[in-house]
């Protein structure tokens, strides 16, 4: 009886160590991540760093010179938001495997993340606002709200 328990503990520890190593690799890769995008009007190009910070701003072909201040500001903000959305999506895609249960026989249950809470408005720029909420929570909400 002790043997199967020790085997399960050893398996769980091995899975934990493998998961920790995979998370460390993912974090390392993401530290180097950036996204470079242009505004829809192609006036500005921005580069957004791994944590959503603006790291570079270029004005393309001097088009900005004929714009009003509010127009230029809107172009910059739009491009920055698009870049933040790309970075947020990359983080979500990178960490998605850790949110799912492990393979058959695995001890890993997966984790339930509220991506909207983590990234806030960054997700709304890529046309997938609300998509960061976990499927499990959406289903749970629908079941809880069903009064019939």
């Amino acid at each position: 009886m002790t043997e199967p328990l020790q085997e399960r503990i050893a398996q769980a520890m091995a899975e934990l160590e493998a998961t920790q190593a995979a998370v460390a690799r993912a974090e390392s890769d993401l530290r180097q991540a950036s996204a470079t995008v242009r505004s829809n009007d192609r006036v500005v190009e921005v580069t957004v760093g791994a944590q959503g910070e603006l790291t570079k701003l270029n004005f393309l072909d001097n088009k900005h010179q004929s714009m009003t201040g509010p127009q230029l500001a809107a172009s910059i903000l739009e491009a920055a938001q698009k870049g933040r959305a790309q970075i947020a999506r990359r983080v979500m895609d990178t960490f998605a495997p850790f949110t799912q249960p492990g393979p058959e026989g695995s001890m890993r249950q997966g984790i339930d993340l509220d991506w909207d809470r983590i990234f806030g408005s960054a997700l709304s720029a890529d046309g997938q606002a609300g998509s960061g909420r976990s499927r499990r929570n959406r289903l749970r909400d629908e079941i809880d709200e069903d009064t019939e």
Side-chain angles (χ1 to χ4, degrees):
M1 180 116 166
T2 314
E3 188 68 17
L5 178 60
Q6 287 179 345
E7 287 176 18
R8 289 181 59 203
I9 290 172
Q11 177 188 0
M13 290 301 295
E15 286 182 30
L16 175 62
E17 289 170 4
T19 300
Q20 287 173 328
V23 167
R25 281 191 305 276
E27 287 175 342
S28 177
D29 290 345
L30 288 172
R31 273 194 283 283
Q32 311 305 318
S34 67
T36 300
V37 296
R38 291 184 177 183
S39 60
N40 288 339
D41 58 14
R42 305 187 64 76
V43 172
V44 296
E45 180 179 82
V46 301
T47 301
V48 177
Q51 295 181 330
E53 73 279 12
L54 194 63
T55 60
K56 191 174 183 182
L57 171 63
N58 290 323
F59 297 104
L60 305 172
D61 301 324
N62 291 321
K63 295 176 190 175
H64 68 285
Q65 292 177 346
S66 63
M67 299 176 81
T68 65
Q71 289 172 326
L72 179 57
S75 290
I76 293 168
L77 290 174
E78 174 209 331
Q81 185 64 14
K82 285 169 55 176
R84 288 179 60 222
Q86 279 189 15
I87 290 295
R89 180 68 43 207
R90 182 166 175 191
V91 169
M92 290 171 63
D93 291 346
T94 299
F95 283 99
F98 304 111
T99 66
Q100 305 301 316
E104 184 69 32
S106 172
M107 305 296 262
R108 192 176 82 220
Q109 299 295 312
I111 55 175
D112 202 11
L113 295 174
D114 184 348
W115 292 113
D116 285 331
R117 193 171 131 238
I118 293 169
F119 290 114
S121 65
L123 293 175
S124 63
D126 67 354
Q128 300 196 20
S131 66
R133 201 153 163 224
S134 89
R135 287 188 182 112
R136 266 186 275 177
N137 279 344
R138 280 194 305 249
L139 180 59
R140 190 175 306 129
D141 288 349
E142 289 178 22
I143 293 170
D144 288 344
E145 293 170 4
D146 190 6
T147 57
E148 295 180 42

